Amino acid sequence: MIDKYQQLLAYVVQHNITHVSFDIFDTLVFRHVHSPTELFTSISTISGHSDMALSASEFATLREQAERVARKKEHVKEDITLIQIYAELPFDNAYKIKLMEAELLTEKQCYVLNEKLIRVIDQLSKSGVTLCLISDMYLSSEQIRQTYLQNTILQNLPLYVSSEQGLTKFSGKLFSYVATELGLDYAQWLHVGDNIDTDVRSAQAAGLHAIHFHPIIDSWQIRDAEKRQFQVNSISSADRLLAALDCNAASKYEQTAYEIGAFVWGPILAAFSDWVVRTADKTACTHLICLMREAYVFAPLLNQHLKQIGREDLTVVYFYVSRKAAFFPSIDVNRIKWLEELMDTLMSYRGYTLENFIDDFGVSAELLDHFAPQFELKNIEGVFVQGEALYTRLFRDADKNRIHLIDKIQQQRSYLKQYFKQVCPVPYSKCAIVDFGNGGTIQHSLEKVFEQQGGANLLFYSTGRIYRFINDTVFHSFIPFGNDKFNVSETLARSPECIEALLLGEGGSTLEYKQENDNILPVIDIGVAENRALCEQFLAGMLAFVKRSVPIQSKTLSKNNAIGILARYIVMPTPIEASIFTQLLHQDNFGTKGEYPVISVEQCEQVKNLGLDQTFLNFLRNKEWERGNIHWPNGVLSLSDSTFLPKFLGLAVNDNLYYIQILIKKIQAAGWKRITVYGAGDFYLQMCPYFQQHQIDVDCLVDRRAEVSGQYELMGKPVVSLQSALTQGKTIFVVCSMAFRTEITNRINEQATSMGRGSIQLICA
């Protein structure tokens, strides 16, 4: 297995590449912000005018709008400069210059270079490959060199910027310009960049080789949803992206698991890790007891975190235990109805079968002649065997074996106490117990066994079930029940399968404890070997993020941001994220036999047959809808239709990509290969690579600005008035505008009618 960096080197050799060009931003240069526009909130402060009437957020909005206005004004060139942007601001020239300098200083203070890719560039240079840098950017080449590239091997490479040439990668013309300048042969030229449109589709359309140097997950869609719907801000995308790029997985699914660990769960669990350490300090705990099976992830996570912050006074302990292994030893056999309570508890667990009962209670297997071994006892009500209620029969069999059960319970309690002393040298009261969470059953059972409270019971999330132990057990929750703005604890409790399989590794649940010589050992159930590769990659990705983030970030990700990232993942997963759960099997931690797929073909068919809208409405009305059958409804919905959840949550209203896909499908269905486009704005610019990709030729553009300023060119295409287009005999129109599509449609039809053009064909999204 080789990573993206080694793949790049191999590609150069395999295809006899003699020249390689590199994109700059999010390929070589990464900013420690959630999105580039967040930089603008710092400019007014750095400029030395923090007392200006505008707030930081107001100035950021002003700066964004100034760029939009400048781009609309520019007709001749394909890109604009920073000077043109600041010319649109309502300040005097001296202050505009000060603000521009502040923007460059802000950029300089919050970027990091992709050092690993720079080492690849050095290797390529030494092997005789010629190199250059190409960027669609409003900064000049000198501004880019001075801000980011000083004292690196990049500073002397040829650098071509769209703002200086007035040509873009997006249109393909900047590639043509560079080819002419450097005398390049397209067949031996490779371009490397992060943007699928400008760096890959446009480059390939121009005849170049291209490598998409970006994670496989859609980081742009994820960050956009995090920001707009889940209020995530002021975090470093640099850490997330660079960690996600450092992957050497063997398959697409493994790569996805790695990137989910690095880009999504890495930030979440890094914040959780910091919270665990701070809470342990407050409660004077010296040992962090990580409960298996989640300790597969939590223990290495905490060890890495402690190492990076230089904490040698806290010790991380792997502790093999489960609900079942802690529950039986905690039973108080002195209670009058302990056996009835034990049976009732077990029969409430999903997946607890007749076969489990026979094994646990040591009773006769005769009942298997009448029922399947996998008959779930939660369905026992109203079931009879040989004229007797099945519950009555089971209780009678268990009661006959009461003495054996008491001996087993007492023995397991003794073994559990001895096992804890083997793995942890301090009293339970000095330990912080770290677990994924939900109802806190294990922690309460352990306190009953050890007859003392734990130093701190730390849950990643909790539900209202923890309060059934309110008289005995105290819990601390990173995501507390009923106290987060996106109801994450409730949603996660409904669909824990959306992550649990990746947290558990391939190991099985702890069933009980046994003695071998002088040692007590946990008895481990058969795990899920099929999950191994995906779990290993998820853990590797998460640790990659943790290793990157602590040295670079000046502050830890806030809990609110962590919750926002998690809420986006659970509520609006991308299809790629959801896809790996078609490959993962889930196994309960109570020792119940059998595994089940998190997302299956049957689940997807059920949702398809019911309808996506009805499925989601059913789920919104009742979170328990189809629980145990459709484990992660949002994951299934995302796989069924990638646009459904963004549209339902209102994120597709301003998302041109959604409407671009609709338009392309309509154009293909009509069989159109040559069209006239109405609308020469941002929507059209975003559509251009898709027109090229699907061999759809745009003969000309129509825009109202041509009626005022006359005909002009945009990306090599003439922009004319509607009257001119109709006079030229244009009859096949595609409307590239969402805001004014109705107005434009009416205008085309009305003017065509007035000019006697009756054969107009028109498509809009």
Side-chain angles (χ1 to χ4, degrees):
M1 295 185 293
I2 59 175
D3 62 20
K4 288 182 180 292
Y5 302 89
Q6 294 167 315
Q7 289 171 17
L8 196 164
L9 290 169
Y11 190 98
V12 169
V13 173
Q14 181 182 354
H15 293 86
N16 194 29
I17 299 296
T18 60
H19 185 87
V20 182
S21 57
F22 291 89
D23 172 52
I24 295 177
F25 296 96
D26 287 337
T27 302
L28 282 165
V29 174
F30 295 78
R31 286 105 148 202
H32 287 304
V33 289
H34 189 241
S35 61
T37 54
E38 282 187 13
L39 287 165
F40 305 150
T41 59
S42 302
I43 292 174
S44 59
T45 301
I46 292 177
S47 70
H49 287 251
S50 57
D51 58 343
M52 64 187 293
L54 290 173
S55 68
S57 61
E58 286 173 329
F59 174 77
T61 301
L62 199 63
R63 166 64 177 79
E64 289 182 60
Q65 293 301 323
E67 184 171 341
R68 288 194 180 96
V69 171
R71 290 190 183 282
K72 285 182 179 179
K73 284 187 174 181
E74 181 56 70
H75 293 164
V76 178
K77 294 184 177 181
E78 294 181 358
D79 208 352
I80 57 176
T81 66
L82 190 63
I83 292 174
Q84 287 175 298
I85 293 170
Y86 274 89
E88 303 301 328
L89 292 177
F91 307 119
D92 60 54
N93 287 334
Y95 191 47
K96 289 177 184 178
I97 293 172
K98 188 179 282 286
L99 287 171
M100 277 194 291
E101 292 173 347
E103 178 168 336
L104 293 171
L105 180 59
T106 304
E107 291 271 9
K108 198 166 190 174
Q109 290 178 344
C110 72
Y111 80 93
V112 60
L113 292 172
N114 187 342
E115 298 290 350
K116 198 167 182 178
L117 189 55
I118 291 175
R119 289 195 291 272
V120 168
I121 289 173
D122 191 33
Q123 285 182 257
L124 290 172
S125 178
K126 289 176 179 176
S127 68
V129 175
T130 60
L131 305 161
C132 73
L133 307 177
I134 306 179
S135 180
D136 280 356
M137 183 58 169
Y138 47 73
L139 297 180
S140 69
S141 57
E142 184 60 25
Q143 287 169 334
I144 291 173
R145 290 187 200 279
Q146 292 295 322
T147 304
Y148 311 104
L149 309 183
Q150 281 189 323
N151 303 316
T152 73
I153 62 171
L154 306 176
Q155 64 180 342
N156 295 319
L157 292 180
L159 171 56
Y160 301 92
V161 189
S162 58
S163 61
E164 292 182 333
Q165 309 307 327
L167 307 170
T168 63
K169 289 183 294 180
F170 192 87
S171 69
K173 291 185 177 181
L174 187 54
F175 291 120
S176 300
Y177 177 84
V178 173
T180 301
E181 285 289 300
L182 299 179
L184 301 181
D185 178 359
Y186 286 162
Q188 293 181 295
W189 178 5
L190 168 66
H191 181 68
V192 180
D194 74 292
N195 190 297
I196 190 68
D197 290 329
T198 61
D199 292 311
V200 179
R201 294 191 179 109
S202 292
Q204 290 173 338
L208 285 70
H209 296 259
I211 288 179
H212 188 211
F213 208 79
H214 193 77
I216 195 171
I217 59 176
D218 191 340
S219 70
W220 292 104
Q221 180 181 342
I222 289 172
R223 283 184 284 170
D224 183 56
E226 286 174 349
K227 179 180 179 180
R228 290 166 55 191
Q229 185 75 13
F230 300 99
Q231 300 167 32
V232 178
N233 54 56
S234 302
I235 68 170
S236 173
S237 287
D239 295 334
R240 301 170 77 183
L241 288 168
L242 284 167
L245 284 170
D246 204 10
C247 174
N248 60 357
S251 70
K252 178 180 178 180
Y253 288 121
E254 290 178 30
Q255 184 178 346
T256 302
Y258 176 96
E259 291 177 4
I260 290 175
F263 195 83
V264 181
W265 278 89
I268 295 167
L269 293 181
F272 172 63
S273 178
D274 181 71
W275 173 83
V276 165
V277 172
R278 287 188 285 106
T279 309
D281 287 342
K282 291 177 183 177
T283 52
C285 293
T286 60
H287 286 64
L288 306 177
I289 308 296
C290 296
L291 305 185
M292 292 299 293
R293 295 177 282 168
E294 285 90 342
Y296 171 79
V297 164
F298 288 169
L301 165 76
L302 287 165
N303 274 322
Q304 180 63 41
H305 181 74
L306 292 171
K307 179 181 177 182
Q308 290 187 229
I309 63 176
R311 291 290 298 274
E312 298 180 357
D313 55 323
L314 283 174
T315 302
V316 176
V317 176
Y318 287 82
F319 186 47
Y320 283 85
V321 71
S322 67
R323 280 189 298 165
K324 182 174 186 178
F327 174 67
F328 273 96
S330 71
I331 296 169
D332 183 0
V333 295
N334 293 315
R335 291 173 63 90
I336 296 175
K337 293 193 174 184
W338 69 267
L339 183 56
E340 292 93 325
E341 292 170 357
L342 169 60
M343 288 183 59
D344 290 345
T345 299
L346 294 176
M347 291 178 186
S348 69
Y349 286 129
R350 177 164 62 95
Y352 192 76
T353 66
L354 180 60
E355 185 178 24
N356 295 139
F357 185 91
I358 290 169
D359 291 344
D360 291 337
F361 286 76
V363 301
S364 170
E366 179 186 342
L367 284 171
L368 296 181
D369 294 335
H370 304 279
F371 298 95
Q374 297 308 309
F375 175 75
E376 293 192 30
L377 295 187
K378 70 176 182 178
N379 301 316
I380 199 170
E381 187 175 350
V383 177
F384 292 80
V385 57
Q386 297 174 326
E388 182 181 25
L390 179 57
Y391 180 90
T392 303
R393 170 65 179 274
L394 291 177
F395 181 79
R396 182 159 48 83
D397 288 351
D399 193 40
K400 289 178 183 178
N401 211 26
R402 184 183 290 258
I403 301 302
H404 168 75
L405 279 171
I406 292 174
D407 289 343
K408 176 182 176 180
I409 289 166
Q410 291 175 339
Q411 182 190 64
Q412 284 298 304
R413 182 183 298 134
S414 174
Y415 283 171
L416 179 51
K417 288 180 177 180
Q418 293 178 64
Y419 171 64
F420 180 76
K421 288 182 179 179
Q422 284 176 194
V423 298
C424 184
V426 301
Y428 193 66
S429 60
K430 289 291 184 182
C431 299
I433 318 303
V434 182
D435 191 23
F436 187 51
N438 192 324
T441 304
I442 298 176
Q443 293 81 351
H444 179 66
S445 295
L446 290 174
E447 290 188 349
K448 290 171 68 176
V449 171
F450 299 136
E451 300 178 284
Q452 59 182 295
Q453 287 189 329
N457 292 306
L458 308 182
L459 304 179
F460 177 77
Y461 81 104
S462 63
T463 64
R465 292 177 61 233
I466 63 171
Y467 298 114
R468 70 196 190 280
F469 305 131
I470 195 168
N471 293 324
D472 305 296
T473 305
V474 179
F475 293 96
H476 304 273
S477 307
F478 180 64
I479 302 176
F481 168 67
N483 195 27
D484 70 86
K485 56 190 172 185
F486 301 115
N487 294 318
V488 169
S489 62
E490 178 186 356
T491 310
L492 191 52
R494 161 59 177 83
S495 300
E497 292 92 345
C498 73
I499 187 57
E500 275 190 344
L502 288 172
L503 296 177
L504 304 179
E506 64 170 313
S509 183
T510 304
L511 300 178
E512 58 183 3
Y513 303 93
K514 66 180 180 180
Q515 184 167 7
E516 284 191 8
N517 301 320
D518 295 330
N519 291 323
I520 303 299
L521 301 176
V523 178
I524 310 299
D525 198 4
I526 297 172
V528 188
E530 296 92 330
N531 289 354
R532 177 189 303 164
L534 294 178
C535 290
E536 287 177 347
Q537 288 295 339
F538 174 79
L539 177 59
M542 186 207 65
L543 290 175
F545 173 83
V546 174
K547 289 174 183 177
R548 282 207 59 88
S549 63
V550 174
I552 295 173
Q553 285 185 281
S554 58
K555 60 181 180 179
T556 306
L557 181 71
S558 72
K559 180 189 287 192
N560 284 340
N561 275 334
I563 289 174
I565 293 172
L566 176 57
R568 193 288 312 169
Y569 170 82
I570 301 173
V571 174
M572 206 190 87
T574 62
I576 290 176
E577 291 171 298
S579 70
I580 67 165
F581 289 88
T582 64
Q583 309 298 304
L584 285 164
L585 297 176
H586 190 63
Q587 185 183 62
D588 184 72
N589 77 337
F590 204 82
T592 53
K593 290 182 171 62
E595 301 82 38
Y596 54 88
V598 178
I599 296 179
S600 65
V601 173
E602 291 74 19
Q603 293 175 39
C604 294
E605 284 298 316
Q606 181 180 346
V607 167
K608 181 180 177 181
N609 292 335
L610 181 61
L612 273 61
D613 289 285
Q614 190 60 52
T615 294
F616 200 45
L617 285 172
N618 288 348
F619 179 60
L620 289 177
R621 289 170 183 153
N622 178 14
K623 285 292 192 293
E624 294 300 306
W625 177 78
E626 288 291 339
R627 184 170 188 173
N629 183 23
I630 299 177
H631 308 299
W632 188 15
N634 294 55
V636 177
L637 287 167
S638 180
L639 282 176
S640 302
D641 182 347
S642 63
T643 65
F644 176 79
L645 287 170
K647 182 173 67 172
F648 203 102
L649 295 171
L651 292 175
V653 174
N654 297 312
D655 184 2
N656 287 344
L657 179 58
Y658 170 72
Y659 296 107
I660 285 170
Q661 291 171 341
I662 290 177
L663 271 178
I664 291 294
K665 287 178 182 177
K666 288 183 177 181
I667 295 169
Q668 287 181 309
W672 294 355
K673 288 297 181 181
R674 187 173 178 82
I675 62 175
T676 299
V677 168
Y678 195 119
D682 292 341
F683 192 105
Y684 167 72
L685 294 175
Q686 283 186 256
M687 279 208 72
C688 281
Y690 297 90
F691 287 143
Q692 294 173 357
Q693 181 184 356
H694 296 282
Q695 289 82 51
I696 299 168
D697 180 36
V698 178
D699 54 18
C700 75
L701 300 167
V702 174
D703 196 273
R704 296 194 77 161
R705 282 177 291 181
E707 297 175 4
V708 177
S709 58
Q711 180 174 324
Y712 62 95
E713 276 200 2
L714 178 65
M715 297 178 68
K717 302 292 183 181
V719 183
V720 301
S721 67
L722 177 58
Q723 182 176 0
S724 175
L726 292 170
T727 300
Q728 294 173 37
K730 309 300 183 186
T731 59
I732 297 178
F733 289 86
V734 172
V735 178
C736 283
S737 171
M738 287 308 302
F740 305 105
R741 56 183 173 174
T742 302
E743 176 188 329
I744 291 171
T745 300
N746 293 337
R747 187 163 184 260
I748 293 173
N749 288 326
E750 288 171 2
Q751 187 147 352
T753 300
S754 69
M755 294 176 64
R757 311 287 183 181
S759 59
I760 298 298
Q761 300 177 67
L762 189 151
I763 285 177
C764 61

